[in-house]
Amino acid sequence: MIVALAGGVGGARLAVGLASVLPPQRLTFVVNTGDDFEHLGFAISPDLDTVMYTLAGVGNAVTGWGRAQETWNFMSALGQLGGETWFRLGDRDLAVHVLRTLALRRGISLSEITRVLATRFGIKHPVIPMTDSPLRTRVRTDCGELAFQDYFVRRGCRPRVQGFRFAGSRKARVPSVLQRIMHSGEVRAAVICPSNPYVSIAPILSVPEIRHWMKRRTFPVIAVSPIVGGAALKGPAAKMMRELGAEPTALGVVRHHGSSVDAWVIDQQDAKLQHAIEREGKLVIVTDTVMSDRGKSVQLAKRVVSFARALASER
Ligand code: FO1
């Protein structure tokens, strides 16, 4: 069993590749819920939706979030009536927010409604939120502490970040379905998808049971760098690194993750960093990590899985 930790867009792209390489009983997705928030009365889980839509083949490949072939009648009607339109909810996308909000209100867990929705989208691989507990990423900035979507969407990632807080993480529990997988003895490797280290991966590792499980791991952890050629392919990762004094390179990401990752997959544009990363005590493979289409996601996933298998068999 491979457990893949995924956040936003980059995570979802690799998820598609991994899902086409490994069968459902050999691959589980653990998804960030730190971006979640209540908005317009809806419980919104952006990274769960991005992974679900992308695996189902209905995701908007341009924006990386929401659905393809979307219409915006709800948004325009809402705007005409003076409602908040800074966080855009498409008409098709709305169906998931309504069903998730209704389920949560009835006491159904986030992991259970996610399982039901993923099944209805025809997804066979388990897509599991990192916790069913409320956990919210708070971004400390030069404009004060902001809720994640306020920082990310409303203010367009412009404020300078000073740090992050994962409110609720101390008491957060992993869903029982994930507990069983983590303690099954079946996990052969963990893959950290190319997601933002601060706001996509760190929230997952802030859940105590996941952090301890990774620390005491008996399996290798392989990560794909989200930074290629000194820039993030999407989102504010490189800007955050600069603002926090980390070098916005694949080496900077390796140093950020430290001992929680054993091996790195970096892009051929960063081949010159391979030795520096090896000097950090990490195994490295250099390949094309830019997943500009599904075929490239599958190619990268094949490289990652064979790398994981090689490392797991050495243990
Ligand atoms: N990101 C934006 O930049 N603008 C939006 O209006 C927006 C709406 C939105 C609606 C549903 C959803 O699931 C995601 C949405 N996102 C939007 C992305 C969201 O901010 C995610 O948290 C990011 O993708 C980071 O993971």
Side-chain angles (χ1 to χ4, degrees), residues 27-221:
L27 172 63
T28 293
F29 294 106
V30 177
V31 181
N32 170 41
T33 59
D35 292 8
D36 292 12
F37 73 139
E38 286 70 37
H39 185 61
L40 298 171
F42 297 115
I44 303 201
S45 296
D47 282 355
L48 280 170
D49 291 348
T50 293
V51 170
M52 197 167 60
Y53 290 155
T54 308
L55 285 176
V58 298
N60 182 319
V62 174
T63 54
W65 53 266
R67 292 193 56 164
Q69 276 93 41
E70 189 56 280
T71 52
W72 302 94
N73 298 305
F74 165 67
M75 269 288 115
S76 60
L78 184 72
Q80 282 152 18
L81 294 171
E84 287 185 82
T85 55
W86 60 272
F87 193 81
R88 299 179 51 68
L89 298 176
D91 299 332
R92 287 184 167 79
D93 189 28
L94 212 44
V96 163
H97 304 307
V98 167
L99 291 174
R100 174 181 290 124
T101 304
L102 281 177
L104 294 174
R105 202 173 289 162
R106 290 182 183 139
I108 294 166
S109 66
L110 180 59
S111 50
E112 178 52 19
I113 183 58
T114 300
R115 186 191 64 76
V116 168
L117 290 170
T119 304
R120 292 185 183 159
F121 273 112
I123 295 166
K124 303 270 185 295
H125 292 81
V127 175
I128 308 174
M130 65 195 198
T131 180
D132 284 333
S133 320
L135 191 157
R136 297 286 178 271
T137 297
R138 310 279 301 170
V139 187
R140 286 206 311 277
T141 78
D142 55 359
C143 308
E145 186 179 271
L146 304 173
F148 179 79
Q149 297 300 345
D150 184 356
Y151 162 80
F152 190 86
V153 179
R154 194 173 208 162
R155 299 168 190 252
C157 304
R158 280 181 298 278
R160 297 181 56 77
V161 304
Q162 295 158 353
F164 305 93
R165 187 166 67 87
F166 306 120
S169 59
R170 238 198 310 281
K171 293 194 298 296
R173 300 300 310 278
V174 301
S176 48
V177 60
L178 181 53
Q179 279 266 3
R180 285 195 295 275
I181 291 166
M182 287 164 64
H183 302 301
S184 66
E186 299 291 316
V187 176
R188 290 288 166 272
V191 171
I192 294 185
C193 295
S195 305
N196 185 309
Y198 301 108
V199 292
S200 294
I201 302 303
I204 300 175
L205 300 178
S206 80
V207 178
E209 288 156 301
I210 298 178
R211 184 170 60 253
H212 299 146
W213 177 68
M214 293 282 277
K215 210 173 267 174
R216 289 196 304 270
R217 65 183 181 274
T218 56
F219 49 80
V221 176

